[in-house]
């Protein structure tokens, strides 16, 4: 009798363990960003943009189930354009999230902004100070968390661009220096939420900036007012960026379990 009970207990434990291992997480991801997120300059952004690649990479993880994405990246956009109170681009994120009104998947916002904020002139509000950049990220995250209390947010780090970047907007070395001053602001924003709302807001991989700086072959060669510059990833670069984003998302969600 005792042996039968023991066998039954072991069987139940085994079944529970198997079921636990077979449970997969489903995700609905809204990618907020600028032209880099959108996939500007790529032959086929619908299949080659970083969000598309990130989704493909995430689906390859054994404990990930379905991954649906919405790419709402807008060329030239700054953090000011995405501020909820400006009612300019934020509604597009809200609309995208509204398509995923379900409890069967985790709603996640992957946000990468700052490139256009850093410009000397051109984009809306540029140049944006590090303090204002910090405050804008807070405003965006606060509204997302208020409207979608169960969501997760990941602030990905911007990529490097060349010091002669100057298309219709002016970036140059001053802009690049300003962009780098945003990186610790992302750290500070994420740190603040770890205290106020744990396991809700995360950061991406900071190494992405240095990686792209080191590998200029990952960029499109674009004609500008100060020669050929590098700003937007090419097909290979978009794939690398999507891989960075996927790994950061997976790492963040694993830490939140």
């Amino acid at each position: 009798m005792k042996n039968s009970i023991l066998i039954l207990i072991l069987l139940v434990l085994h079944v529970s363990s198997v079921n636990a291992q077979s449970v997969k997480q489903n995700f609905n991801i809204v990618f907020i960003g600028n032209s880099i997120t959108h996939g500007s300059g790529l032959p086929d952004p619908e299949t080659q943009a970083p969000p598309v690649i990130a989704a493909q990479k995430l689906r390859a993880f054994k404990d990930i189930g379905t991954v649906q994405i919405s790419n709402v990246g807008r060329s030239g956009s700054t953090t000011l354009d995405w501020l909820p109170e400006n009612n300019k681009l934020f509604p597009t994120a809200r609309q995208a999230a509204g398509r995923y009104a379900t409890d069967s998947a985790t709603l996640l916002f992957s946000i990468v902004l700052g490139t256009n904020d850093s410009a000397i002139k051109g984009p809306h509000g540029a140049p944006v100070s590090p303090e204002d950049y910090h405050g804008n990220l807070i405003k965006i995250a606060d509204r997302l968390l208020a409207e979608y209390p169960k969501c997760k947010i990941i602030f990905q780090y911007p990529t490097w661009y060349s010091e002669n970047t100057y298309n219709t907007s002016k970036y140059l070395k001053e802009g690049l220096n300003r962009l780098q001053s945003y990186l610790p602001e992302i750290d500070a924003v994420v740190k603040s939420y770890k205290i106020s709302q744990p396991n809700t807001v995360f950061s991406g991989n900071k190494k992405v900036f240095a990686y792209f700086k080191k590998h200029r072959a990952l960029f499109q060669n674009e004609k500008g007012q100060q020669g050929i510059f590098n700003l937007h990833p090419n097909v290979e670069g978009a794939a690398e960026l999507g891989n960075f984003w996927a790994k950061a998302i997976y790492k963040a969600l694993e830490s939140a379990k």
Side-chain angles (χ1 to χ4, degrees):
M1 182 66 175
K2 289 183 179 180
N3 288 339
S4 298
I5 294 174
L6 179 59
I7 292 173
L8 180 60
I9 292 173
L10 291 174
L11 180 61
V12 170
L13 290 174
H14 174 72
V15 171
S16 299
S17 176
V18 171
N19 288 337
Q21 293 175 12
S22 63
V23 173
K24 294 188 175 184
Q25 292 180 287
N26 301 320
F27 297 99
N28 297 324
I29 308 175
V30 178
F31 287 88
I32 294 173
N34 47 46
S35 58
I36 294 173
T37 298
H38 174 72
S40 293
L42 298 176
D44 185 12
E46 293 295 321
T47 61
Q48 297 169 333
V52 179
I53 304 302
Q56 293 173 356
K57 297 293 183 179
L58 282 169
R59 294 185 189 109
F61 289 106
K62 63 180 181 180
D63 53 344
I64 298 294
T66 61
V67 178
Q68 299 186 85
I69 68 166
S70 182
N71 183 356
V72 295
R74 292 294 183 272
S75 295
S77 65
T78 64
T79 54
L80 280 81
D81 293 311
W82 288 96
L83 287 179
E85 60 263 35
N86 288 346
N87 206 36
K88 186 177 180 181
L89 292 180
F90 192 85
T92 63
R94 182 185 290 120
Q95 182 180 20
R99 302 190 195 109
Y100 304 132
T102 175
D103 291 329
S104 62
T106 298
L107 175 61
L108 186 145
F109 295 91
S110 177
I111 304 172
V112 54
L113 294 166
T115 299
N116 294 314
D117 296 67
S118 72
I120 297 172
K121 64 178 181 179
H124 178 209
V128 176
S129 70
E131 295 77 17
D132 286 344
Y133 176 77
H134 179 117
N136 292 342
L137 294 187
I138 291 287
K139 290 177 181 178
I140 295 169
D142 277 352
R143 180 61 68 86
L144 290 175
L145 291 170
E147 296 191 14
Y148 311 99
K150 296 182 180 180
C151 80
K152 306 293 183 184
I153 300 171
I154 296 183
F155 284 113
Q156 309 279 7
Y157 292 94
T159 51
W160 171 89
Y161 58 75
S162 62
E163 293 182 1
N164 68 329
T165 298
Y166 191 169
N167 43 29
T168 54
S169 295
K170 188 176 182 180
Y171 298 84
L172 305 180
K173 184 176 181 179
E174 178 186 328
L176 183 62
N177 289 339
R178 187 161 31 250
L179 181 64
Q180 292 176 83
S181 74
Y182 294 162
L183 305 187
E185 299 303 328
I186 294 176
D187 296 337
V189 167
V190 172
K191 184 177 180 180
S192 70
Y193 282 103
K194 285 184 178 179
I195 298 172
S196 63
Q197 299 186 62
N199 295 324
T200 58
V201 180
F202 307 88
S203 59
N205 189 333
K206 191 183 294 186
K207 293 180 180 179
V208 69
F209 186 93
Y211 183 83
F212 275 82
K213 179 180 180 179
K214 184 178 179 180
H215 298 86
R216 297 187 65 162
L218 297 176
F219 289 92
Q220 301 172 39
N221 291 319
E222 305 176 62
K223 293 182 180 180
Q225 298 188 47
Q226 289 199 7
I228 301 298
F229 67 90
N230 299 127
L231 173 65
H232 298 96
N234 56 25
V235 174
E236 183 182 357
E240 289 284 356
L241 188 56
N243 191 38
F244 267 105
W245 291 357
K247 289 180 178 179
I249 290 170
Y250 184 76
K251 181 179 179 181
L253 295 171
E254 283 293 295
S255 68
K257 287 182 178 179

